Amino acid sequence: ATFSPLVIVAAGTVHYDIVLSPPPPLVLSEEVLFFSHFPLDITTTTTTTTTTLPPPWRASTAPTHKGKWGIESARAPYTVRGDGGLVMMEAPERYGAFAAVGGEDGVDLEELEELVIQYEVHPQQEMTCSGMYIKLLLELPEDEKLDAQTPYSILFGPDYCSQITNDVKLVINYTDSTAPLSAPQWILREKEEATVVGLELMSFIYTLHLTKNGKYSIYIDNYLATSGLLQDLSPPTSSTSLKLQPFKAIAIEAVTSTPHILFDNFLITTNLTTAQTYSNATWAPKWAAQEKIRLELISDPAWFRAWVWLVGEVLEMGSIVLQSVLSPEYVFFVCFFASSMPPPYNSRLSSF
């Protein structure tokens, strides 16, 4: 990955042009059960948006799920040229989208030695509340009316709400059971350090690995977050009765109060190495470029002033008033603390 600053003189802001050279898209096979990404024209850095989902994706027609989807690149300052995603465009709203997996018969989990589910999420605004998990559906939704009542085999992914809920969820509905298995709640982690997803406006990647002998592993940003035996999840069950139900579709079905959440690089495979190799070739260089941009932005003197202005705005006073009523030491502390935060308000740099 490479990137270079593109200075927009008229606005006085700095945008970064990230150019990636991703590997060819994965081809469906006995090993790759599902793959979906959203490439855009690499010759332009402008955002491309459409309300028509590309095959194999279909938007829910349920009257309760009116959220409009878009296909667009990540927004400044983390735009990756040629790389798009499936985006929740509006909020607050309920969203539903699904794609068939495995043909008419779907995928029988009992026939697989292992199953890996992987996808990327990129929050692009300061988070309030949003489900960002995916579901593996037991059947294709009738009349395409995907909603919260649509039966599913597995639910997996992050769920965030004002730092009260900041979890990666794993729920498994299994045969001969009246209650689903629900894994403990894991705090989102980045390199084994606690991460608040509402402050890290960058790309995350989530991976679930299930094996035929009843083991599960969850990776966040390619790091093992937790693992264990399915039979030890709540409620406890015997391994003899633990039969995972087959699925026929992958879906996003969630409620959000935060717009512009981007999903990308959906992969369902029977080989963990395949998933890790692909994430290392796609997500890893993207995240590295985004992190370099983030560090450059917070080291910019204008960024210090922007955060002082932001704190003053929150306190309903301008930065000049803030500095006049606080001691120099406290103002320095505010500047120092604010400078360590990621840039969710990069557009405000144009004011300084």
Side-chain angles (χ1 to χ4, degrees):
T2 63
F3 73 95
S4 58
L6 302 178
V7 181
I8 312 299
V9 178
T13 60
V14 177
H15 294 266
Y16 292 82
D17 184 24
I18 305 174
V19 180
L20 297 177
S21 299
L26 297 175
V27 178
L28 298 185
S29 62
E30 291 185 359
E31 182 178 291
V32 178
L33 305 179
F34 181 83
F35 173 74
S36 178
H37 69 155
F38 306 89
L40 298 174
D41 186 355
I42 199 170
T43 63
T44 179
T45 58
T46 58
T47 298
T48 302
T49 305
T50 176
T51 56
T52 303
L53 296 187
W57 291 94
R58 285 174 275 178
S60 172
T61 60
T64 53
H65 288 56
K66 299 179 180 180
K68 293 182 179 179
W69 294 98
I71 306 297
E72 65 176 25
S73 60
R75 302 194 168 200
Y78 297 136
T79 301
V80 180
R81 186 169 6 177
D83 184 51
L86 182 60
V87 181
M88 295 174 169
M89 301 298 295
E90 304 170 335
E93 196 56 84
R94 291 179 178 271
Y95 280 83
F98 65 95
V101 181
E104 294 183 0
D105 297 329
V107 177
D108 188 349
L109 296 176
E110 294 300 311
E111 295 182 354
L112 303 179
E113 293 297 323
E114 58 181 316
L115 178 73
V116 182
I117 306 164
Q118 180 171 276
Y119 69 107
E120 291 180 31
V121 178
H122 185 171
Q124 301 186 86
Q125 288 187 207
E126 187 173 9
M127 294 292 296
T128 51
C129 286
S130 182
M132 294 167 280
Y133 40 77
I134 61 172
K135 297 179 179 180
L136 300 185
L137 306 181
L138 298 182
E139 300 286 345
L140 292 174
E142 186 175 355
D143 298 326
E144 301 185 357
K145 293 181 178 180
L146 169 68
D147 59 22
Q149 282 68 51
T150 303
Y152 63 88
S153 175
I154 296 173
L155 179 154
F156 169 66
D159 189 19
Y160 179 89
C161 192
S162 299
Q163 302 184 30
I164 298 173
T165 302
N166 191 9
D167 308 320
V168 175
K169 296 186 181 299
L170 172 59
V171 179
I172 298 178
N173 291 301
Y174 61 103
T175 307
D176 301 327
S177 173
T178 57
L181 286 173
S182 180
Q185 306 296 293
W186 297 289
I187 300 299
L188 290 171
R189 294 188 178 275
E190 167 62 32
K191 298 181 181 178
E192 300 181 356
E193 296 178 1
T195 295
V196 179
V197 85
L199 300 178
E200 293 288 349
L201 304 184
M202 297 161 61
S203 297
F204 293 80
I205 190 165
Y206 301 92
T207 307
L208 171 64
H209 181 215
L210 301 175
T211 63
K212 194 170 185 177
N213 60 3
K215 293 182 179 180
Y216 69 89
S217 300
I218 290 180
Y219 297 81
I220 301 175
D221 292 354
N222 289 343
Y223 285 82
L224 180 63
T226 189
S227 61
L229 296 175
L230 291 176
Q231 69 186 58
D232 294 335
L233 301 182
S234 177
T237 183
S238 66
S239 58
T240 56
S241 65
L242 182 56
K243 295 182 179 180
L244 303 181
Q245 299 189 74
F247 66 93
K248 293 186 177 181
I250 182 174
I252 304 171
E253 189 284 311
V255 181
T256 184
S257 60
T258 306
H260 305 300
I261 297 174
L262 183 150
F263 299 83
D264 195 13
N265 287 327
F266 295 89
L267 173 61
I268 302 177
T269 178
T270 60
N271 190 313
L272 179 61
T273 301
T274 297
Q276 292 175 333
T277 300
Y278 192 79
S279 66
N280 286 332
T282 54
W283 171 84
K286 182 191 307 182
W287 184 90
Q290 291 173 346
E291 175 67 0
K292 189 170 183 179
I293 290 173
R294 185 181 75 87
L295 294 176
E296 286 208 2
L297 285 170
I298 64 176
S299 65
D300 188 335
W303 182 234
F304 286 80
R305 297 195 298 274
W307 267 102
V308 171
W309 177 86
L310 175 63
V311 172
E313 183 183 54
V314 171
L315 297 175
E316 298 183 348
M317 62 180 74
S319 59
I320 296 176
V321 176
L322 178 66
Q323 293 181 37
S324 67
V325 299
L326 297 177
S327 66
E329 294 82 4
Y330 190 79
V331 171
F332 176 79
F333 170 77
V334 170
C335 291
F336 180 80
F337 175 76
S339 71
S340 67
M341 307 293 278
Y345 303 100
N346 184 54
S347 61
R348 300 189 181 188
L349 295 180
S350 59
S351 302
F352 294 84

